[in-house]
Amino acid sequence: MPELPEVQALVDFLGERTRDLAIVGVELGSISVLKTYDPPPASLHGLPIDSVIRHGKFIDIEAEGLHLVFHLARAGWLRWSDALASTTIRPGKSSVAFRCRLSDGSGFDLTEAGTRKRVAVYIVRDPAQVPGIARLGPDPMAADFTAADFAGLLQGRRTQVKGLLKDQGFLAGVGNAYSDEVLHAARLSPFALASSLDDEQVQRLFAALRDTLVSAVTAASGKPAKELKDAKRAGMRVHGRTGEACPVCGDVVREVSFAESSLQYCATCQTGGKPLADRRMSRLLK
């Protein structure tokens, strides 16, 4: 799933590629991808693009007061073309969920792998009309988001820090992958309760959050859309690296599996050397 650093890179990429261009057409490869009906898709036709910005993991293309907003969900991606095919996409016949045509012949497709279709597109007059944006917590990359603000959010939360970091209502933009990376950098267990962290641990977690995201944004910056997935994977120290050596201490990277996801961590760096219980694996071994 693309998270804040990749989404920011896509925003920068689109901002550069769409400068001085207008939207000349949008096509639906899936009826379910469009979550709004007013304004209709045709209302975007002919509108010059004013800006491309990010709200958490949502990308917002503004065109003369209308906003084309989309979320790539778990298996979605943006595929750019300097010269889009002239043929119209046929609903249900390809992995393309949505297509946007621009005035110089270029444009992009939103694609989605797998059977679960979760990519979402909205056409709205105000981004706050998108429910997911309206619920977003503060952006951890915002210049005015401080360590004190972060500590205030954590206070009294009897919730595991891994879950909190992924909660878009708590913080906007961090998902499963970067929460693993942040907690590894902070040397904290993903199962630690937020309310149990002392001041030093909170400061350490905030520093790791900012440093991890800044480094990832910097690494992704300037890369074309087609290279961002590989760049993300290459930059991970523990996420997606089960069984490999921790780059900090050399211990093996371990995993805890859930129904639809998993987390990775280093026991030596994060849990005092004690492996975390993996109930799913325990059941399989019985």
Side-chain angles (χ1 to χ4, degrees):
M1 177 187 292
E3 298 178 33
L4 187 156
E6 296 77 47
V7 174
Q8 184 61 55
L10 287 173
V11 164
D12 296 341
F13 176 87
L14 286 173
E16 178 68 26
R17 296 301 194 282
T18 62
R19 186 174 299 148
D20 300 324
L21 298 180
I23 298 171
V24 295
V26 296
E27 301 167 21
L28 301 179
S30 167
I31 299 300
S32 64
V33 73
L34 185 63
K35 307 303 181 184
T36 54
Y37 62 90
D38 180 30
S43 62
L44 291 168
H45 295 184
L47 298 185
I49 293 174
D50 299 319
S51 65
V52 184
I53 62 173
R54 176 181 62 80
H55 311 278
K57 300 178 192 177
F58 290 85
I59 294 176
D60 175 2
I61 300 175
E62 182 180 4
E64 290 202 336
L66 291 186
H67 297 259
L68 172 60
V69 177
F70 55 90
H71 190 291
L72 294 170
R74 187 167 186 170
W77 197 245
L78 183 146
R79 185 172 66 198
W80 175 267
S81 176
D82 288 329
L84 273 179
S86 58
T87 54
T88 301
I89 55 175
R90 298 172 61 192
K93 300 298 182 181
S94 75
S95 62
V96 178
F98 179 85
R99 174 169 289 170
C100 180
R101 296 183 180 275
L102 303 175
S103 52
D104 68 343
S106 67
F108 62 87
D109 291 335
L110 302 184
T111 64
E112 186 166 22
T115 58
R116 292 193 174 187
K117 302 305 180 184
R118 296 177 176 173
V119 169
V121 175
Y122 308 81
I123 301 170
V124 293
R125 296 178 179 86
D126 182 345
Q129 293 175 298
V130 177
I133 293 178
R135 291 193 298 266
L136 287 176
D139 191 311
M141 291 290 287
D144 59 354
F145 183 66
T146 66
D149 295 329
F150 184 62
L153 291 176
L154 291 171
Q155 192 171 16
R157 297 263 194 162
R158 294 190 57 79
T159 307
Q160 294 173 351
V161 286
K162 166 74 176 180
L164 269 185
L165 291 176
K166 294 196 305 175
D167 182 349
Q168 299 305 292
F170 178 76
L171 282 181
V174 179
N176 194 40
Y178 286 104
S179 58
D180 281 350
E181 296 297 297
V182 168
L183 289 166
H184 179 257
R187 306 189 306 280
L188 290 174
S189 168
F191 289 176
L193 295 181
S195 59
S196 72
L197 302 181
D198 59 31
D199 291 345
E200 189 274 334
Q201 290 173 318
V202 171
Q203 292 294 321
R204 206 163 71 214
L205 182 57
F206 179 76
L209 175 67
R210 292 294 282 261
D211 291 348
T212 299
L213 293 178
V214 167
S215 296
V217 168
T218 301
S221 178
K223 287 185 170 59
K226 63 182 179 181
E227 295 180 13
L228 288 174
K229 288 184 180 180
D230 289 339
K232 177 182 179 179
R233 282 191 287 265
M236 295 288 146
R237 295 186 297 177
V238 291
H239 183 78
R241 299 196 179 277
T242 303
E244 299 182 23
C246 169
V248 174
C249 71
D251 191 7
V252 64
V253 174
R254 292 172 167 85
E255 176 175 300
V256 177
S257 300
F258 304 100
E260 293 189 351
S261 66
S262 62
L263 65 82
Q264 285 78 44
Y265 70 100
C266 170
T268 295
C269 291
Q270 297 175 252
T271 62
K274 182 180 179 180
L276 297 172
D278 187 345
R279 295 180 181 86
R280 187 179 182 191
M281 289 304 299
S282 297
R283 289 197 300 271
L284 291 173
L285 293 172
K286 285 182 179 178

